[in-house]
Amino acid sequence: MKERDVLLNELAQGLRRMSEGIEWFDGLGQEEQSEVLLFLRHHCVQAGAVAEDVPESIRRAGLRPTHTPAVLISRGRIDEQLGKIAGLVPLDERRKAFRLLIAVLTIADERRRERFCSGGCSHWWHRLPVA
């Protein structure tokens, strides 16, 4: 378990403010940012993100429907679209992608936790201490 993994899960669970996450993300180099976005994309898929999560994810991320990541996630298969979002290059778009992918992970993991983990599980990220 890396510090990055803990931080991203804390953001997804509301244990850290998004402003802290954005500050951390902005402090990374472009290659590291791309790795983080790909990591988030993978975990969104693993958590079971579905097309029905899209409108609420866009709202929670604070994006307008016309922002590039919001447009992308609204079109086509969600797993493919998450990959396109993770591959965005301009810094401003990467920031929006980061916020959106955290929101998608939040929603998908909340559902997974309710359906499959409510009686207990072995996921370390479901046992993070409240800060």
Side-chain angles (χ1 to χ4, degrees):
M1 161 177 36
K2 293 183 177 182
E3 182 180 329
R4 169 199 71 186
D5 303 350
V6 172
L7 176 107
L8 294 172
N9 277 284
E10 287 174 340
L11 288 167
Q13 293 176 37
L15 301 174
R16 282 191 190 244
R17 293 186 323 272
M18 182 53 77
S19 60
E20 290 178 65
I22 296 292
E23 184 178 330
W24 171 81
F25 186 76
D26 283 351
L28 301 174
Q30 183 173 348
E31 188 174 314
E32 291 173 299
Q33 287 180 345
S34 293
E35 288 173 13
V36 166
L37 295 175
L38 287 171
F39 174 88
L40 285 168
R41 180 247 174 232
H42 173 77
H43 286 284
C44 289
V45 171
Q46 291 297 311
V50 294
E52 290 75 21
D53 299 336
V54 170
E56 181 62 13
S57 296
I58 293 169
R59 188 193 69 73
R60 288 189 192 189
L63 301 182
R64 291 191 308 257
T66 56
H67 285 145
T68 302
V71 170
L72 287 172
I73 199 170
S74 299
R75 298 182 178 168
R77 291 183 37 187
I78 191 165
D79 57 333
E80 292 174 4
Q81 297 310 99
L82 291 172
K84 291 177 185 177
I85 292 165
L88 290 171
V89 176
L91 175 59
D92 187 49
E93 298 300 335
R94 286 196 312 267
R95 281 186 194 123
K96 292 173 193 167
F98 179 75
R99 292 185 356 232
L100 182 59
L101 291 172
I102 290 289
V104 172
L105 181 58
T106 298
I107 292 167
D109 193 55
E110 284 173 354
R111 184 176 47 253
R112 173 173 53 185
R113 188 184 296 241
E114 288 172 12
R115 288 185 184 166
F116 305 111
C117 301
S118 61
C121 67
S122 61
H123 300 124
W124 63 263
W125 58 91
H126 289 165
R127 295 186 307 277
L128 292 173
V130 176

